[in-house]
Amino acid sequence: MNDKRLSIRLLALLFAVLIFSTLFLSSCSGSNDDECTVENLPTGKIGCLMGSLETVFLQDTYPEAEISYYNSLPDAIVGLKSGNVDYVSTTETNIALYTKRIDGIKKLDISYFPTQEAFCLNKNRVDLISQINGKIKEYKESGRIDEISRNWSDCTNYIVNEVPKRTEGPVIVVGTTGEMEPINFILNGELVGFDVEVIGNILYDLGYQVEYKTMAFGALLPAIESGKVDIGAADITVTEERKKSVAFSDVYIERCQSVIVRDEDNESISIAAIKEGLKNNLIKEARYKLILEGLKMTALLSVTSLIFGTILGILLLFMKRSRFRLLSKTVSVYSVIIQGIPIVVLLMLVCYVFLGDVDASDIVVGMLTFGMFFSTGVLAALENGLNNIDKGQYEAVSALGYPRIFGFRKIIFPQLTKNSLPVYRGEIIAMIKATAIAGYVAIQDLTKAGDLIRSRTFDAFIPIIIVAIIYFAIIWAITLFIRWFEKKDDRNRRKREVKL
Amino acid sequence: MSMIEIKGLKKQFDGFEVFKGVNANIEKGDVIAVIGPSGTGKSTLLRCLNFLEKADEGEIWMDGKNIFDSSVDRAKICQKMGMVFQSFNLFPNLMVVENVMQAPIDLLGISRKEAYEHAMVLLEEVGMSNKALSFPDELSGGQKQRVAIARALAMKPEILLLDEPTSALDPMMVGEVKNVIARLADSGLTMMIVTHEMSFAREISNRTFYLDEGGIYEEGPTEEVFTNPKKPKTKAFFSKTKEYHYKASDVSFSFKTMSNGITVFGITNSIDAKLVNRASLICEELCINCILSHIEVNPIELEIHMAYLENEKALRISVEYNGNENNLLENPKVDEISVKIIKETSREYSFSFADGKNVLTILV
């Protein structure tokens, strides 16, 4: 009983520490002055997108600038809000979008590092370049580019004009990212945006059929070079370096960089703010449903992996103990491979290589990955149990006249549970925690649900804390359950009555 | 026809030939003692019979069949041979009575009730029925071994193989197990027992296999082999078992080796454990507190000879050490308590000095 009370107290203490650290970290983040000007910009830490062009500019112009790199703008904004950086530098288009969407940040009235955006083509498509350049000139003169740009400038209400499409004529493959709102993005399941509208209309005018391919920005230029994509239309800035590998059309729009900072007026640290944060992260847009669905997915992944992994693990054990060297060697190799690959890489291997051509559901991908991961743990647990069984036990079984497998099942196997359960318990917990990476291949599990909420609310803490608490609760419950089972098992063993 | 006939059995371990061709017959009702120096394959012989070791060559005939034939059901053969191990090998997850009844239920297809009743009869026979609902880890070594015997008997074997059944036991527990085995021998059960306890072997067996030189070196009725061994190695073995020798210098002296040696000597000759303990104590005091701490020569060389005087039920210990004449028991420099312990535990003692050798002879 004392144990239980102690664990509850520990749990409470842990949560208290979590919550206080949240408050503390949030309150620490408010150390920025309002009168930020270009002059004192470089004194702070600047957050930039990984690989974006202005980083070079910033490094040249303000050598003393401290730059942090982020994979995505939402991440950078979370970094800004949590005080990891003091400014986030990005294009004015992005700033217009995000300052409208997110509370607690504002644009500084500076602009720098003007860039020129153009379409990207394979160097061999000279004919196509001149055709497109003609159209760009025409659109600029007629004011059509500006008109399209206006359609997409108000980031809350877009004016979506349908782009006409041809069903005949030569096909042009246009590569874009689909992730740059409002330049090219998915709205109600359709690829839309400024770039899409411009290139769509130009190609229609020129009599081409258009096929879109979305890919990561980094993959665009290689795809154009290799000819898999004819035109890249993704707000691509013209640079000398890029000119070495691809050809550019004429510039169709110019953009500027600016910075965003925290807007202190809009943020207060209080219980009310935390309440508001909880409401915002859970209630608004029924976001708790994301959590529930994620939880369901995590549970489903865990249970299917548990069953699959356990069966596979037992099978592996029999293979490993088999008299056929080939079988036992196979198991050894399998264990080394599974344990030697990071679980994320294993997940991607299963998803993109083994099941690359198969239309497998998320559950199947997850079950295979985490089941395989878990199976080596099951094998280890069973082997640990078996190694703890004295050789004399096998000799006694054999000497009594049990056939090999029958004796193993009747006498040896029942001795296994006691030795194996503690290790098995550890492996289950490790496996459940491992499922948190499922989001890597777009499986929407609990962790991914937290990420999704975070990418909408840009709240650095609350979604993560919620997810952490849920994981902790699950694992706590499972630990208690298996311990209870171990104790019950032990009591059953010691019942001292003979069933007749 | 013999019950079991061993023909040309060969076995080697990593190039070392344990058996160079063993031939033997085991008749129904035989109680065979398998004795010999260590490393001569006494246990291996038993273990080859029930497939715990794989024989390299040879035949073992039982019930008109060569049990090494691939057509023979080995599990069935094992069921006919009960095995009692040195380390008991009880199933730790099962209660005593379950240990005894499990195999008959699984293998002989009898009902749980029947198996239980039979198990209780057997446990009664070995004096363990009051522990039927205990778990093996709650039993002493002697109790475990008695349960193990009951478990082997539950399969109604035609022959019982006992592999050093008392070697792992505390000296105090040996008696109870020996009694059970002796009763079984009297009941007419065919048995084959590997043991280091010569007097016990002599007491219960009607035939003795003396193993040496890669096979059964000498074989015959127990009384004959024990009292009148024909071959030189057997003779040497029997004379050696009656004495214990330990020789060491101050550098090589190992208390553990000495006391283990004395214990083994005691067990081999079935000497009363109390007597052995006393002798061991005297040797310890004499060697460590007297000789090694008070003899001023370099190097110190000492020798212990111990012999069992069966008629007097006494042990004669003589300790030789080098240096000048020095009767340590009368030397005032020597620790008084040690001397007192030695004098009080011994029955008589004497001292002599000759050729630079001090000899203390003590009778316990």
Side-chain angles (χ1 to χ4, degrees):
Chain A
M1 279 305 107
N2 248 342
D3 268 10
K4 221 176 234 174
R5 214 174 283 164
L6 187 69
S7 9
I8 288 168
R9 271 188 204 157
L10 272 176
L11 195 61
L13 188 72
L14 201 71
F15 284 163
V17 169
L18 271 175
I19 287 164
F20 276 111
S21 54
T22 314
L23 285 174
F24 181 70
L25 286 172
S26 319
S27 59
C28 279
S29 61
S31 61
N32 180 40
D33 54 341
D34 260 350
E35 300 105 58
C36 186
T37 63
V38 187
E39 281 72 44
N40 60 19
L41 217 183
T43 61
K45 260 186 159 181
I46 306 176
C48 285
L49 282 183
M50 182 92 85
S52 63
L53 293 169
E54 76 264 25
T55 55
V56 181
F57 171 80
L58 282 169
Q59 278 164 349
D60 290 349
T61 322
Y62 308 112
E64 63 272 44
E66 241 188 286
I67 302 176
S68 293
Y69 298 96
Y70 289 94
N71 274 326
S72 71
L73 211 49
D75 282 349
I77 290 170
V78 168
L80 174 68
K81 288 186 125 193
S82 58
N84 289 342
V85 291
D86 298 308
Y87 319 95
V88 169
S89 165
T90 185
T91 61
E92 291 189 315
T93 336
N94 277 334
I95 290 177
L97 173 73
Y98 282 97
T99 48
K100 267 202 181 133
R101 288 282 165 81
I102 303 161
D103 291 339
I105 55 171
K106 66 183 179 191
K107 178 178 184 284
L108 279 194
D109 195 15
I110 52 167
S111 54
Y112 66 100
F113 191 55
T115 57
Q116 301 185 312
E117 322 301 320
F119 299 118
C120 240
L121 286 91
N122 189 296
K123 281 186 169 173
N124 299 330
R125 304 296 299 265
V126 189
D127 53 319
L128 195 58
I129 296 179
S130 60
Q131 285 180 339
I132 289 175
N133 283 348
K135 277 288 160 190
I136 291 175
K137 197 174 174 215
E138 186 191 316
Y139 277 29
K140 271 183 171 171
E141 279 166 4
S142 67
R144 192 151 176 207
I145 294 261
D146 293 336
E147 188 199 323
I148 296 174
S149 179
R150 270 196 303 280
N151 289 347
W152 297 101
S153 63
D154 178 357
C155 296
T156 40
N157 280 308
Y158 297 115
I159 302 161
V160 186
N161 293 317
E162 193 162 332
V163 182
K165 278 179 189 145
R166 289 192 191 273
T167 50
E168 281 175 0
V171 177
I172 294 286
V173 180
V174 174
T176 188
T177 69
E179 287 171 344
M180 292 181 181
E181 191 176 349
I183 293 158
N184 58 75
F185 65 109
I186 310 282
L187 185 69
N188 300 325
E190 292 281 321
L191 183 69
V192 294
F194 170 75
D195 274 357
V196 177
E197 194 170 340
V198 173
I199 193 70
N201 278 301
I202 287 177
L203 291 173
Y204 177 81
D205 289 354
L206 293 173
Y208 291 111
Q209 282 191 75
V210 184
E211 186 190 308
Y212 290 101
K213 264 191 183 165
T214 57
M215 58 189 73
F217 189 86
L220 258 181
L221 295 195
I224 293 165
E225 255 190 296
S226 67
K228 279 187 183 147
V229 164
D230 298 311
I231 303 176
D235 209 36
I236 305 172
T237 301
V238 182
T239 66
E240 289 307 315
E241 187 156 8
R242 285 175 183 165
K243 273 184 187 168
K244 285 178 197 160
S245 54
V246 290
F248 279 100
S249 71
D250 287 345
V251 172
Y252 60 91
I253 198 158
E254 295 193 349
R255 300 194 190 281
C256 263
Q257 311 290 311
S258 186
V259 291
I260 38 183
V261 294
R262 283 184 295 273
D263 186 359
E264 306 297 316
D265 300 341
N266 258 334
E267 220 167 23
S268 57
I269 300 305
S270 65
I271 300 294
I274 289 179
K275 247 187 185 169
E276 182 60 31
L278 278 174
K279 200 174 143 193
N280 193 25
N281 281 295
L282 286 177
I283 316 293
K284 206 170 158 193
E285 290 183 19
R287 285 180 181 138
Y288 66 90
K289 277 190 183 159
L290 277 175
I291 294 274
L292 286 182
E293 268 163 34
L295 184 60
K296 205 169 110 190
M297 178 54 86
T298 292
L300 214 55
L301 281 179
S302 302
V303 171
T304 49
S305 307
L306 180 81
I307 296 167
F308 173 65
T310 304
I311 294 171
L312 188 58
I314 293 171
L315 208 73
L316 289 176
L317 180 76
F318 277 106
M319 281 170 69
K320 191 155 186 190
R321 301 248 151 179
S322 129
R323 264 171 284 198
F324 301 104
R325 292 268 321 260
L326 189 68
L327 278 181
S328 61
K329 263 275 171 312
T330 310
V331 176
S332 305
V333 171
Y334 169 88
S335 295
V336 168
I337 289 176
I338 298 290
Q339 283 166 356
I341 307 178
I343 178 87
V344 182
V345 180
L346 180 67
L347 178 69
M348 292 195 286
L349 269 178
V350 170
C351 188
Y352 300 129
V353 181
F354 300 139
L355 300 177
D357 305 329
V358 189
D359 190 18
S361 73
D362 291 350
I363 297 282
V364 173
V365 171
M367 183 186 81
L368 279 177
T369 308
F370 303 115
M372 288 203 296
F373 171 73
F374 184 54
S375 69
T376 60
V378 173
L379 180 65
L382 289 173
E383 286 211 299
N384 174 61
L386 281 180
N387 290 341
N388 278 330
I389 293 175
D390 186 56
K391 192 169 134 265
Q393 293 289 312
Y394 295 95
E395 292 192 347
V397 170
S398 165
L400 279 170
Y402 280 92
R404 209 169 113 97
I405 294 180
F406 181 64
F408 182 84
R409 187 165 69 75
K410 279 282 178 182
I411 307 286
I412 305 293
F413 196 75
Q415 296 184 33
L416 259 183
T417 46
K418 195 181 157 133
N419 294 332
S420 296
L421 264 181
V423 184
Y424 189 62
R425 183 180 68 209
E427 294 295 339
I428 291 178
I429 288 166
M431 183 266 290
I432 293 176
K433 288 197 282 196
T435 62
I437 58 151
Y440 244 85
V441 293
I443 300 176
Q444 304 218 337
D445 73 321
L446 185 56
T447 309
K448 184 75 177 178
D451 271 358
L452 284 176
I453 293 177
R454 204 160 57 93
S455 73
R456 296 289 294 171
T457 62
F458 304 101
D459 189 320
F461 302 109
I462 292 176
I464 296 174
I465 299 267
I466 291 171
V467 166
I469 289 175
I470 294 174
Y471 271 115
F472 190 74
I474 297 173
I475 283 159
W476 188 272
I478 286 174
T479 308
L480 287 184
F481 173 75
I482 301 180
R483 289 237 176 94
W484 169 82
F485 183 80
E486 281 169 18
K487 273 190 190 150
K488 194 184 141 210
D489 188 55
D490 207 45
R491 269 203 303 278
N492 276 348
R493 276 170 201 286
R494 298 265 159 185
K495 241 190 345 215
R496 289 178 203 282
E497 72 187 37
V498 186
K499 272 189 223 137
L500 293 179
Chain B
M1 193 181 74
S2 300
M3 180 175 154
I4 295 174
E5 207 169 323
I6 304 170
K7 283 182 184 170
L9 188 72
K10 285 188 185 174
K11 170 78 189 166
Q12 59 176 8
F13 289 111
D14 300 325
F16 174 70
E17 233 178 355
V18 184
F19 297 143
K20 296 172 180 162
V22 171
N23 296 301
N25 292 333
I26 301 164
E27 309 296 336
K28 198 166 164 44
D30 267 351
V31 175
I32 297 170
V34 182
I35 61 169
S38 50
T40 51
K42 300 187 292 294
S43 294
T44 309
L45 182 62
L46 255 59
R47 292 164 64 87
C48 280
L49 280 176
N50 67 353
F51 311 105
L52 288 179
E53 298 291 351
K54 194 177 171 297
D56 297 331
E57 253 178 70
E59 295 171 357
I60 294 179
W61 288 80
M62 190 178 182
D63 297 337
K65 273 179 282 186
N66 177 8
I67 64 170
F68 294 151
D69 262 0
S70 55
S71 64
V72 169
D73 182 351
R74 297 184 170 202
K76 278 274 180 310
I77 298 288
C78 284
Q79 288 173 21
K80 292 183 189 169
M81 303 188 205
M83 179 94 172
V84 175
F85 298 89
Q86 181 181 347
S87 52
F88 331 125
N89 297 341
L90 294 179
F91 305 132
N93 56 324
L94 300 180
M95 284 182 286
V96 163
V97 66
E98 289 172 325
N99 259 285
V100 181
M101 57 195 268
Q102 192 67 44
I105 294 169
D106 289 341
L107 300 172
L108 302 180
I110 64 174
S111 72
R112 289 190 74 86
K113 193 169 181 307
E114 210 178 321
Y116 173 79
E117 278 159 9
H118 185 215
M120 288 310 286
V121 169
L122 290 169
L123 286 174
E124 184 72 52
E125 274 175 31
V126 298
M128 289 296 296
S129 57
N130 58 337
K131 294 276 185 189
L133 299 185
S134 296
F135 284 88
D137 58 7
E138 297 159 347
L139 304 180
S140 72
Q143 291 172 325
K144 281 183 198 169
Q145 196 58 295
R146 285 187 278 155
V147 175
I149 292 170
R151 180 178 69 178
L153 293 176
M155 289 296 289
K156 300 187 175 135
E158 292 173 16
I159 179 171
L160 192 63
L161 310 172
L162 300 110
D163 187 5
E164 303 192 24
T166 56
S167 297
L169 298 179
D170 200 287
M172 310 301 275
M173 310 287 175
V174 172
E176 56 189 77
V177 174
K178 285 203 287 197
N179 285 340
V180 169
I181 297 171
R183 270 212 308 279
L184 285 174
D186 287 344
S187 74
L189 181 67
T190 313
M191 298 200 317
M192 210 166 162
I193 179 166
V194 174
T195 182
H196 289 123
E197 300 204 36
M198 290 308 137
S199 58
F200 176 58
R202 188 172 173 181
E203 178 194 328
I204 63 162
S205 64
N206 64 331
R207 287 172 72 198
T208 294
F209 290 177
Y210 174 80
L211 265 57
D212 207 336
E213 293 195 334
I216 299 177
Y217 179 80
E218 183 164 349
E219 186 234 312
T222 296
E223 272 316 302
E224 225 176 286
V225 175
F226 272 70
T227 53
N228 189 16
K230 301 222 163 38
K231 291 186 163 182
K233 282 206 171 180
T234 324
K235 281 181 187 161
F237 175 80
F238 279 111
S239 65
K240 207 160 87 186
T241 55
K242 295 210 166 71
E243 276 173 48
Y244 168 70
H245 305 279
Y246 180 72
K247 194 174 173 182
S249 68
D250 48 353
V251 189
S252 68
F253 180 80
S254 152
F255 169 65
K256 219 172 156 191
T257 311
M258 182 187 74
S259 75
N260 280 350
I262 294 172
T263 313
V264 169
F265 172 68
I267 291 171
T268 315
N269 291 292
S270 304
I271 305 168
D272 182 13
K274 276 184 212 156
L275 192 60
V276 175
N277 283 343
R278 247 182 271 159
S280 190
L281 180 69
I282 288 176
C283 288
E284 179 191 343
E285 292 293 340
L286 206 56
C287 293
I288 296 172
N289 291 335
C290 303
I291 299 172
L292 292 179
S293 22
H294 292 282
I295 296 294
E296 281 143 9
V297 276
N298 201 8
I300 302 174
E301 276 162 10
L302 64 90
E303 268 177 58
I304 298 170
H305 305 284
M306 198 181 281
Y308 183 53
L309 312 173
E310 226 166 318
N311 298 334
E312 298 174 52
K313 296 252 177 275
L315 277 168
R316 192 185 61 227
I317 308 164
S318 56
V319 181
E320 298 176 18
Y321 48 96
N322 57 353
N324 298 327
E325 183 168 355
N326 188 348
N327 183 355
L328 288 166
L329 295 181
E330 305 301 336
N331 189 332
K333 281 192 219 155
V334 175
D335 183 25
E336 235 175 276
I337 301 173
S338 297
V339 173
K340 207 172 166 201
I341 290 174
I342 294 167
K343 285 182 177 172
E344 283 185 6
T345 25
S346 58
R347 207 192 287 176
E348 334 167 355
Y349 55 91
S350 60
F351 174 78
S352 65
F353 179 78
D355 301 337
K357 260 189 186 173
N358 296 283
V359 181
L360 265 174
T361 307
I362 296 168
L363 206 64
V364 189

